[in-house]
């Protein structure tokens, strides 16, 4: 797997923090089945993570001493482990993004643009909902709750979809994505639990989280798609062959990873929804055994 793993659960949470140290030096330029299109699709997704996961960490950390949860010892332990896992995800995706940059793919610019999209979006949305008594902290936590549903859903689809798994032909990169997918499902309920404990389960909280998911999905689709096209164009590989491979990998109704997410994504809009309603316990046990976690 080309990585060193140090597992720590000193926080006493229901899931551990695994300190990874991947070596991306041997990762080939087109590590995903030799395809520029598929590789750039995943690189564009990876470019979203450093600033995206910083938002997750900052938004939960900003409210962890809120009176509604400050004395909830169990939830505080989950928050600590959540922050630890997300910090590791940031570190490893920064490492991979830097390795892609060495091949001449301008991921640094994509990371910078991700930061601009996030900061612009969160501040604009906060201005729009301020008349309804919603603070920046509430907006940030709501966005995190919505985005955590997206990451957990795409992660579980990755762990279930053998077609996608077969295309991940580089051992280091496949292990990184599978490890990340496992952990996204391990902590998928933390931000949601924090949100509900602080802001409740009323109509306002329900409407805000649903609106946040719709806006977040539109922004992710536009940003990630534009990143893919930019990477392909810079690489001189913006052609029908590579676009066709991306369509089959991501959007094909029978095998696509994005298409496969649809049902679970829509469950978020159900009143009374909770992330643990989507049972991934056995899926995670199987994959943790496969990965030696």
């Amino acid at each position: 797997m080309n990585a060193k793993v140090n597992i720590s659960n000193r926080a006493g949470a229901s899931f551990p923090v695994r300190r990874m140290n991947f070596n991306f030096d041997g990762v080939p330029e087109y590590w995903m089945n030799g395809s520029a299109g598929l590789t750039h699709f995943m690189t564009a997704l990876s470019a979203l993570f450093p600033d995206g996961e910083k938002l997750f960490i900052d938004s939960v950390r900003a409210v962890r001493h809120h009176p509604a949860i400050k004395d909830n010892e169990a939830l505080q332990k989950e928050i600590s482990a959540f922050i630890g896992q997300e910090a590791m995800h940031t570190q490893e995706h920064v490492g991979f993004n830097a390795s892609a940059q060495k091949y001449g793919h301008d991921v640094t610019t994509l990371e910078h643009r991700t930061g601009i999209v996030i900061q612009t979006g969160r501040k604009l949305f906060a201005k729009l909902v301020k008349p309804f008594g919603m603070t920046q902290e509430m907006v940030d936590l709501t966005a995190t709750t919505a985005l955590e549903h997206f990451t957990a859903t795409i992660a579980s689809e990755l762990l279930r979809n053998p077609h996608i798994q077969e295309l991940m032909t580089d051992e280091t990169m496949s292990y990184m994505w599978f490890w990340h997918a496992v952990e996204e499902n391990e902590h998928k309920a933390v931000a949601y639990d924090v949100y509900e404990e602080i802001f409740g389960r009323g109509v306002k909280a329900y409407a805000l989280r649903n609106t946040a998911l719709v806006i977040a999905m539109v922004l992710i689709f536009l940003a990630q798609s534009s990143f893919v096209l930019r990477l392909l164009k810079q690489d001189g590989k913006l052609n029908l062959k590579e676009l066709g491979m991306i369509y089959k990998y991501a959007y094909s109704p029978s095998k696509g990873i994005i298409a496969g997410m649809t049902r679970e994504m829509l469950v978020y809009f159900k009143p009374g929804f909770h992330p643990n309603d989507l049972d991934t316990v056995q899926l995670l046990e199987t994959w943790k055994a496969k990965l030696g976690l």
Side-chain angles (χ1 to χ4, degrees), residues 36-105:
L38 299 183
T39 299
H40 289 328
F41 184 91
M42 296 303 287
T43 301
L45 191 61
S46 183
L48 300 173
F49 281 120
D51 278 86
E53 286 171 327
K54 184 179 184 299
L55 171 67
F56 301 166
I57 292 170
D58 290 346
S59 66
V60 173
R61 185 177 278 153
V63 299
R64 73 177 303 175
H65 299 301
H66 188 281
I69 63 171
K70 69 176 183 178
D71 296 323
N72 187 331
E73 185 177 346
L75 185 55
Q76 288 294 330
K77 290 177 179 179
E78 299 291 285
I79 290 171
S80 294
F82 170 85
I83 290 172
Q85 283 195 344
E86 293 291 27
M88 287 310 305
H89 299 170
T90 301
Q91 174 182 298
E92 298 307 324
H93 280 279
V94 166
F96 163 65
N97 293 348
S99 73
Q101 186 82 23
K102 291 178 182 178
Y103 286 112
H105 308 305

Side-chain angles (χ1 to χ4, degrees), residues 41-259:
F41 184 91
M42 296 303 287
T43 301
L45 191 61
S46 183
L48 300 173
F49 281 120
D51 278 86
E53 286 171 327
K54 184 179 184 299
L55 171 67
F56 301 166
I57 292 170
D58 290 346
S59 66
V60 173
R61 185 177 278 153
V63 299
R64 73 177 303 175
H65 299 301
H66 188 281
I69 63 171
K70 69 176 183 178
D71 296 323
N72 187 331
E73 185 177 346
L75 185 55
Q76 288 294 330
K77 290 177 179 179
E78 299 291 285
I79 290 171
S80 294
F82 170 85
I83 290 172
Q85 283 195 344
E86 293 291 27
M88 287 310 305
H89 299 170
T90 301
Q91 174 182 298
E92 298 307 324
H93 280 279
V94 166
F96 163 65
N97 293 348
S99 73
Q101 186 82 23
K102 291 178 182 178
Y103 286 112
H105 308 305
D106 190 10
V107 188
T108 300
T109 296
L110 305 185
E111 290 177 330
H112 177 68
R113 290 185 177 182
T114 298
I116 293 174
V117 170
I118 290 173
Q119 295 306 318
T120 302
R122 62 183 284 272
K123 292 175 182 177
L124 179 59
F125 192 42
K127 286 183 179 180
L128 292 174
V129 298
K130 186 176 180 179
F132 301 98
M134 298 173 188
T135 64
Q136 184 70 67
E137 288 79 11
M138 187 176 187
V139 167
D140 291 346
L141 185 59
T142 308
T144 294
T145 302
L147 289 165
E148 279 289 300
H149 180 61
F150 167 76
T151 56
T153 303
I154 196 171
S156 60
E157 179 63 18
L158 172 60
L159 297 177
R160 290 191 184 106
N161 193 320
H163 170 66
I164 306 304
Q165 295 159 19
E166 289 168 3
L167 294 172
M168 292 193 166
T169 47
D170 181 77
E171 182 181 7
T172 298
M173 291 307 300
S174 63
Y175 193 97
M176 186 194 77
W177 283 104
F178 296 147
W179 154 74
H180 191 162
V182 165
E183 294 199 344
E184 286 298 335
N185 273 273
E186 284 182 328
H187 68 232
K188 66 182 179 181
V190 176
Y192 196 96
D193 287 341
V194 171
Y195 180 79
E196 283 203 334
E197 288 297 319
I198 294 177
F199 301 118
R201 301 167 178 81
V203 174
K204 184 194 293 188
Y206 173 75
L208 184 62
R209 71 171 175 83
N210 289 344
T211 303
L213 182 66
V214 172
I215 293 174
M217 291 308 96
V218 170
L219 291 177
I220 285 177
F221 176 77
L222 292 175
Q224 196 266 352
S225 297
S226 69
F227 290 177
V228 173
L229 294 175
R230 179 183 173 89
L231 288 168
L232 285 170
K233 185 177 180 180
Q234 288 177 339
D235 206 11
K237 296 184 182 295
L238 182 55
N239 54 57
L240 290 178
K241 176 186 175 183
E242 297 297 344
L243 291 175
M245 293 182 72
I246 290 173
Y247 169 78
K248 185 177 180 181
Y249 168 72
Y251 303 107
S252 168
S254 60
K255 296 181 177 180
I257 188 169
I258 303 299

